[in-house]
RNA sequence: GGGCUCGUAGCUCAGUUGGUUAGAGCGCUUCCUUGACACGGAAGAGGUCGGAUGUUCGAGUCAUCUCGAGCCCACCA
């Protein structure tokens, strides 16, 4: 049982990580027995390396997955990556720019080749990283959204939806990013509050002396105005109904239209209408059959239609238009105005609303069943309040623009005919046009929104549209663990498309985790420069410590503040386990105990040693049982912080601080004959198993050492049984007795501390035990003496400094220190304690004397209060006795 | 404009369905280099739970209002 002196996780973590993969322990088999548990990874983008948010997500998933696997479930965790269309294309374009190249120069084919090369590289490093972090997924089932199989699924879904009329192509107003040169969906536009202006412009009303004042935040768009709207009920303007206005700068006459869109209470009550550059105006234009004059193009430059302003950038044009309006005395007012400006999520360029021909998914029919499955509980959100957010979005859902003018992604399976100009949509490239038979077909150049393929992930990865064994076994998946930032982008789309394509929800439960933040609660981001690289801290503190520090902060519904201090303390815990193991292993060797692993699967009672098992064994087995109960429940409910805290407390403050301390005494006394190794090793081994999902590396390392040479066991701790709570293993009596023993030891330490005695001074004392404590009696006296640092005799009252409880009197004979006033600290302590006791006692008495309380409170509440009151009173009496009051 | 979350010890946070001297980690004070561990051990100090009102026998835990912080959604020119 060799064990290195220092805990150095770097030495063994990479080895186990690789071994787990090499041995294929986590390869799922649909034919295996056990309850099914399946989960697909939220595929990381192949844009770069994984960050702390991924590590948190993967750690929570891994804990859950390892736990299910150890419980004997038929478990699948399917890994993979997302091609992340626009994001990846941007990364590669940026790299090209560094080489002085751009994608247009390279051409589509060569550009795609470059991105694939990048993808291979990035995908590999993501996989390496995940393996290093201990993720126990099934790499034999790894998928990528652009794989042939998944691409086939994408085409299949596209064709089906098209044929059902749920995908259509049309000319509508879309969000256009002039930098990315593509349309983007509403979700990809982020709104930023900006301090802008409201320009009030006067349009002369033809045939009158009046001028109609309109207000706008974008004066440059007036060049494309094709009407001015007023509210039909607005009395101020009854006189100009049916007239036209003269558009300044352009010298065009445009009609005054009557439309509810004009709010009489806003500004002058008149609105300029620019159908080509504003979504509202676009709709108004349709209602009133207005012409569309596009004055801004896809590059955000003014078009020829902008006449004198043609070729200018939109913001430069704004300045010039304002200046010209001022000069022509059309500008009546400029006021500061706060507005929210839509920007491209990826590059932060101000989005330009433009009319263009795009592909859309009709979402209303898909949203209805997607709402129902959450309402009726077929999909459950944890924490539950996220379902409200989900509903909110689903109720107000709008059609989804799915075409992107990019080169990286799934090419839209639609072919345009050069002869008849009609479209043929097909699963595979058609030879001839479906409408006219012409062979002059060209595939639509656009690709699909990256979320279209991610939306199919839970079933496309399992082989759909083929009816595979995996699909039959593992769909619907059991659980999805992801972040709220992609609730609409991804989760909502998966629900809609899962139900549509499979007729069944894609997962039964969605656990939404928090955000990883830095010490100042700031979001971690590259631009802020506050990112913690998982590989760096993993190397520094060990993966187990980082995992643990993440989990300890992972309370549902809260963000996770991650600091290196936390990782240090988590490492201290790992170090504690390591050293406790050293104690055990070294003494096994010294005592000639051979490696041994218990055959017990679940929590059990200790083996007896004669009449009964030693108190510390009975106690720790009962505590282990309680710990298992709590940890199992906590993981089940995604209360990862609670699972981690429970394990921490059990291992450190019960197993190490008390149990092993007692065992150490047994080791030196009676030549170690009273240790009862089988009990010690059983609880140790079960503790390792309980810890394994949280700290896989450390536990595997120690477990393998413990199991050296043991035949007929699991090959890895990750496939050993997860200990379950066992009603029969509760030992309340042992817990009571142990707590009395702990009370006596603590009392002894208190006295020593209050008397300020040197540790070398062995105090002589007397212990008087009362009925309840009899079983602790003589058998445990040596333990109390050693742990308390006293030399005790039992049973005879004597003079000295006293610490009393209803169970015992501990009397220390220390005439010297008492004479020097050393007992004062003890008196201060007792008086303070009495103050508190008196407070609680009086309030308890008040309640028990109140008929309203005794009449309405449940019996058990009253009982425990009475019981506690009796204990407080007994303690108060003892303290007063000691103080001589 | 609508929706959501948070405000508990110096710091970061727990506190499951309301139930009885309010918990943890880090930090702090004092003592201890005891052959597993100073990444350790022991004993302590320190909150009345943002504020107000209410419901209740009983509220950190529910309701209303209020102050403060943050997030999400939204086509208010």
């Amino acid at each position: 049982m060799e064990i290195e002196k220092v805990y150095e996780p770097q030495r063994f973590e990479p080895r186990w990580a690789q071994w787990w993969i090499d041995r294929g322990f986590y390869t799922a088999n649909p034919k295996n027995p056990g309850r099914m548990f399946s989960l697909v990874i939220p595929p990381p983008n192949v844009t770069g390396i994984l960050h702390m948010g991924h590590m948190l997500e993967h750690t929570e998933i891994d804990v859950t997955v390892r736990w299910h696997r150890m419980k004997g479930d038929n478990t699948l965790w399917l890994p993979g990556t997302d091609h992340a269309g626009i994001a990846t294309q941007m990364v590669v374009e940026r790299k090209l720019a560094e080489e002085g190249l751009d994608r247009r120069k390279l051409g589509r084919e060569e550009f795609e080749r470059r991105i694939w090369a990048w993808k291979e590289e990035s995908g590999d490093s993501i996989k390496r990283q995940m393996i290093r972090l201990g993720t126990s997924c099934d790499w034999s089932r790894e998928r990528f959204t652009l794989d042939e199989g998944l691409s086939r699924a994408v085409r299949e879904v596209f064709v089906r939806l098209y044929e059902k009329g749920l995908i259509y192509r049309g000319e509508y107003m879309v969000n256009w990013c002039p930098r990315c040169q593509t349309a983007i969906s509403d979700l990809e536009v982020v709104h930023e509050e900006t301090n802008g202006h409201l320009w009030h412009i006067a349009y002369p009303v033809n045939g009158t002396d009046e001028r109609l004042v309109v207000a706008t935040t974008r004066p440059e768009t007036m060049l494309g105005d094709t009407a001015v709207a007023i509210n039909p009920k607005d009395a101020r303007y009854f006189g100009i109904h049916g007239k036209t206005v003269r558009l300044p700068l352009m010298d065009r006459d445009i009609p005054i239209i009557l439309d509810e869109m004009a709010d009489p209470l806003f500004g002058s009550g008149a609105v300029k209408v620019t159908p080509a550059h504003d979504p509202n105006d676009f709709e108004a234009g349709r209602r009133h059959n207005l012409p569309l004059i596009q004055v801004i193009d896809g590059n955000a430059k003014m078009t020829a239609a902008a006449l004198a302003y043609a070729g200018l950038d939109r913001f430069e044009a704004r300045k010039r238009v304002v200046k010209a309006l001022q000069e022509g005395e059309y500008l009546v007012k400029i006021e500061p105005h706060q507005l929210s400006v839509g920007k491209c999520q990826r590059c932060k360029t101000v989005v330009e609303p433009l009319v263009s021909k795009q592909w859309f998914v009709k979402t209303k029919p898909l949203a209805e069943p997607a709402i129902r499955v959450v309402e009726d509980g077929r999909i459950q959100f944890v924490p539950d309040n996220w379902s409200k957010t989900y509903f909110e979005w689903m109720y107000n859902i709008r059609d989804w623009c799915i075409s992107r003018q990019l080169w990286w992604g799934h090419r839209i399976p639609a072919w345009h005919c050069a002869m008849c100009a009609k479209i043929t949509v097909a699963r595979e490239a058609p030879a001839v046009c479906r409408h006219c038979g012409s062979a002059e077909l060209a595939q639509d150049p656009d690709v699909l929104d990256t979320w279209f393929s991610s939306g199919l992930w839970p079933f496309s990865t399992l082989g759909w549209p083929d009816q595979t064994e995996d699909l039959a076994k593992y769909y619907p998946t059991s659980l999805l663990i992801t972040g709220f930032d992609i609730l609409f982008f991804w989760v909502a789309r998966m629900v809609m498309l899962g139900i549509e394509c499979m007729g069944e929800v894609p997962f039964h439960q969605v656990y939404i985790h928090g955000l990883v933040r830095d010490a100042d609660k700031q979001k971690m981001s590259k631009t802020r420069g506050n990112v913690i690289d998982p590989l760096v801290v993993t190397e520094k503190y060990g993966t187990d410590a980082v995992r643990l520090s993440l989990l300890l902060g992972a309370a549902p519904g809260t963000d996770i503040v991650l600091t290196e201090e936390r990782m240090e303390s988590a490492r201290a815990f790992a170090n504690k386990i390591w050293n406790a193991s050293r104690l055990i292993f070294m003494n096994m060797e010294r005592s000639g105990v051979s490696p041994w692993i218990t055959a017990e699967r679940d929590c059990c009672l200790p083996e007896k040693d004669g009449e009964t098992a030693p108190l510390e064994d009975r106690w720790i087995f009962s505590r282990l049982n309680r710990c298992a109960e709590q940890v199992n429940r906590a993981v089940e409910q995604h209360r990862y912080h609670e699972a981690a805290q429970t394990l921490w407390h059990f291992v450190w403050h019960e197993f190490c601080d008390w149990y092993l301390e007692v065992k150490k005494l047994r080791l030196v006394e009676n030549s170690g004959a009273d240790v009862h190794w089988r009990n010690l090793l059983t609880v140790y081994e079960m503790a390792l198993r309980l810890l394994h999902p949280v700290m896989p590396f450390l536990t595997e390392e120690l477990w393998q050492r413990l199991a050296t040479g043991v035949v007929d066991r699991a090959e890895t701790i990750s496939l050993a049984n997860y200990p379950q709570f066992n009603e029969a293993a509760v030992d309340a009596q042992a817990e009571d007795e142990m707590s009395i023993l702990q009370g006596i030891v603590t009392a002894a330490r208190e006295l020593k501390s209050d008397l300020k005695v040197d540790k070398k001074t062995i105090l002589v004392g007397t212990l008087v035990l009362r009925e309840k404590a009899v079983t602790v009696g003589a058998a445990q006296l040596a333990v109390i003496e050693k742990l308390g640092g006293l030399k005790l005799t039992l049973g005879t009252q004597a003079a000295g400094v006293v610490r009393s409880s209803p169970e015992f009197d501990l009397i220390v004979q220390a005439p010297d220190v008492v004479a020097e006033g050393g007992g004062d600290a003890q008196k201060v302590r007792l008086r303070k304690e009495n103050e508190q006791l008196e407070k609680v006692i009086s309030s308890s008495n008040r309640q028990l004397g109140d008929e309203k309380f005794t009449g309405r409170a449940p019996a058990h509440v009253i009982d425990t209060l009475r019981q506690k009151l009796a204990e407080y009173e007994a303690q108060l009496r003892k303290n007063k006795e000691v103080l001589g009051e």
Side-chain angles (χ1 to χ4, degrees), chain A residues 90 92 186 204 244 251 349 403 446 505 695 783 847 851 861:
Chain A
M90 267 182 72
V92 176
D186 295 333
T244 60
D251 294 326
T349 303
S403 44
D446 291 354
V505 295
M695 308 179 86
V783 168
Q847 273 197 81
E851 279 174 19
V861 172

Side-chain angles (χ1 to χ4, degrees), chain A residues 87-138:
Chain A
T88 310
Q89 176 159 332
M90 267 182 72
V91 170
V92 176
E93 279 185 339
R94 213 176 295 133
K95 282 174 74 87
L96 286 179
E98 284 165 17
E99 299 172 40
L101 291 168
D102 81 81
R103 69 179 161 109
R104 276 164 245 277
K105 266 187 227 158
L106 288 178
R108 186 160 187 160
E109 217 170 289
E110 174 60 14
F111 181 68
E112 283 186 55
R113 205 187 55 74
R114 294 269 185 136
I115 302 196
W116 272 104
W118 161 268
K119 180 266 162 188
E120 296 303 333
E121 198 182 308
S122 175
D124 280 357
S125 74
I126 287 171
K127 182 174 174 178
R128 269 199 310 279
Q129 242 182 322
M130 285 182 63
I131 291 175
R132 178 65 186 81
L133 299 179
T135 50
S136 65
C137 47
D138 180 354

Side-chain angles (χ1 to χ4, degrees), chain A residues 305-325:
Chain A
L307 305 179
Y309 304 90
L312 290 177
D313 174 79
R314 55 186 165 170
F315 297 119
E316 179 59 26
R318 177 178 302 176
K319 284 183 202 155
R320 304 247 189 129
V321 165
V322 168
K323 191 158 176 258
L325 287 171

Side-chain angles (χ1 to χ4, degrees), chain A residues 618-844:
Chain A
R618 290 190 288 126
W619 171 74
I620 199 74
F621 273 67
S622 195
R623 297 306 304 157
L624 176 82
N625 193 32
R626 220 86 253 186
C627 173
E629 180 186 30
Q630 285 177 38
V631 171
N632 275 293
R633 192 182 47 225
V635 176
E636 169 110 58
Q637 299 175 349
H638 311 290
R639 302 175 61 80
Y640 303 104
H641 71 302
E642 195 179 307
Q645 273 170 22
T646 302
L647 286 163
W648 181 298
H649 182 261
F650 172 75
V651 170
W652 201 323
H653 301 301
E654 297 191 313
F655 184 74
C656 291
D657 287 353
W658 289 96
Y659 183 71
L660 286 183
E661 288 304 321
V662 173
K663 287 301 183 197
K664 268 159 75 174
L665 301 176
R666 305 268 188 244
L667 280 163
V668 285
E669 303 217 326
N670 201 6
S671 315
D674 304 327
V675 171
H676 207 124
W677 276 100
R678 286 180 78 99
N679 285 342
L680 193 166
L681 292 182
T682 296
V683 66
Y684 172 66
E685 196 266 350
M686 283 209 202
L688 289 181
R689 278 192 261 151
L690 284 173
L691 277 164
H692 181 260
V694 172
M695 308 179 86
F697 293 104
L698 174 63
T699 48
E700 184 77 90
E701 173 74 13
L702 296 170
W703 193 82
Q704 291 295 343
R705 287 164 189 254
L706 187 66
T708 312
V710 177
V711 291
D712 198 24
R713 58 160 173 104
E715 198 177 340
T716 161
I717 189 174
S718 60
L719 297 180
N721 294 110
Y722 203 73
Q724 298 295 314
F725 173 74
N726 175 1
E727 187 64 51
V730 176
D731 189 338
Q733 196 194 344
E735 297 203 29
D736 279 351
E737 288 181 13
M738 185 68 184
S739 97
I740 291 167
L741 186 145
Q742 288 174 318
I744 300 171
V745 170
T746 304
R749 287 168 174 166
E750 265 178 20
L751 284 179
K752 288 185 65 185
S753 170
D754 286 351
L755 298 177
K756 296 202 190 312
V757 291
D758 181 82
K759 78 165 202 73
K760 278 168 190 148
T761 316
I762 300 291
L763 291 183
V764 179
T766 308
L767 181 60
V768 182
L769 294 169
R770 267 170 271 293
E771 289 161 68
K772 250 179 113 180
V774 167
T775 40
V776 174
Q780 305 297 347
L781 191 62
V783 168
I784 295 167
E785 283 190 346
K786 283 281 161 43
L787 293 182
L790 298 176
K791 176 72 191 153
L792 291 172
T793 53
L794 207 54
T796 321
Q797 196 83 34
V801 183
V802 183
R803 172 83 229 200
S804 273
S805 89
E807 280 82 32
F808 62 86
D809 293 329
L810 183 63
I811 307 129
V812 170
Q813 289 145 28
D816 300 351
V817 274
V818 174
E820 288 163 27
D824 293 352
Q826 166 70 0
K827 284 182 183 155
V828 169
R829 182 200 295 278
L830 291 182
R831 291 206 177 95
K832 191 174 170 189
E833 193 176 303
N834 285 356
E835 264 178 47
Q836 289 173 325
L837 284 169
E838 272 160 3
K839 237 187 269 173
V840 194
I841 287 168
S842 76
S843 88
S844 300

Side-chain angles (χ1 to χ4, degrees), chain A residues 56-260:
Chain A
L56 169 72
E57 185 168 285
H58 295 175
T59 300
E60 290 182 344
I61 295 174
D62 197 50
V63 168
T64 310
V65 166
R66 284 182 185 273
W67 176 68
H68 274 283
R69 201 180 285 119
M70 288 177 80
K71 286 205 309 171
D73 294 344
N74 182 335
T75 305
L76 167 66
W77 176 6
L78 188 145
T81 44
D82 195 306
H83 69 282
I86 192 166
T88 310
Q89 176 159 332
M90 267 182 72
V91 170
V92 176
E93 279 185 339
R94 213 176 295 133
K95 282 174 74 87
L96 286 179
E98 284 165 17
E99 299 172 40
L101 291 168
D102 81 81
R103 69 179 161 109
R104 276 164 245 277
K105 266 187 227 158
L106 288 178
R108 186 160 187 160
E109 217 170 289
E110 174 60 14
F111 181 68
E112 283 186 55
R113 205 187 55 74
R114 294 269 185 136
I115 302 196
W116 272 104
W118 161 268
K119 180 266 162 188
E120 296 303 333
E121 198 182 308
S122 175
D124 280 357
S125 74
I126 287 171
K127 182 174 174 178
R128 269 199 310 279
Q129 242 182 322
M130 285 182 63
I131 291 175
R132 178 65 186 81
L133 299 179
T135 50
S136 65
C137 47
D138 180 354
W139 290 105
S140 75
R141 286 178 168 78
E142 185 185 2
R143 295 289 183 271
F144 177 57
T145 45
L146 280 174
D147 282 349
E148 179 42 38
L150 278 73
S151 301
R152 193 155 68 88
V154 165
R155 294 194 298 272
E156 180 68 31
V157 172
F158 189 96
V159 173
R160 283 194 192 184
L161 293 180
Y162 180 78
E163 285 169 353
K164 278 182 86 170
L166 291 173
I167 282 182
Y168 62 91
R169 185 168 183 259
E171 206 156 29
Y172 295 94
M173 179 141 287
V174 294
N175 307 293
W176 180 269
C177 174
R179 217 270 345 149
C180 299
Q181 290 285 305
T182 178
I184 53 181
S185 72
D186 295 333
L187 281 176
E188 287 164 290
V189 178
V190 291
H191 295 273
E192 264 178 44
E193 286 296 312
T194 315
N195 292 319
H197 300 276
L198 201 54
W199 284 274
H200 296 256
I201 311 168
Y203 291 2
V205 180
N206 289 321
T208 72
D209 296 334
E210 286 177 52
R211 299 206 304 176
L212 195 52
V213 176
V214 297
T216 178
T217 55
R218 300 195 57 194
E220 72 280 12
T221 62
M222 61 96 52
L223 305 175
D225 282 2
T226 51
V228 172
I230 53 175
N231 194 295
K233 294 184 191 120
D234 194 336
R236 289 173 291 179
Y237 299 123
F238 284 165
I240 57 171
H241 284 191
K243 296 196 184 306
T244 60
V245 296
R246 187 76 171 166
L247 186 62
L249 311 188
M250 300 304 278
D251 294 326
R252 271 200 339 256
D253 288 338
I254 56 176
I256 294 170
I257 59 169
L258 304 179
D259 198 288
E260 300 285 346

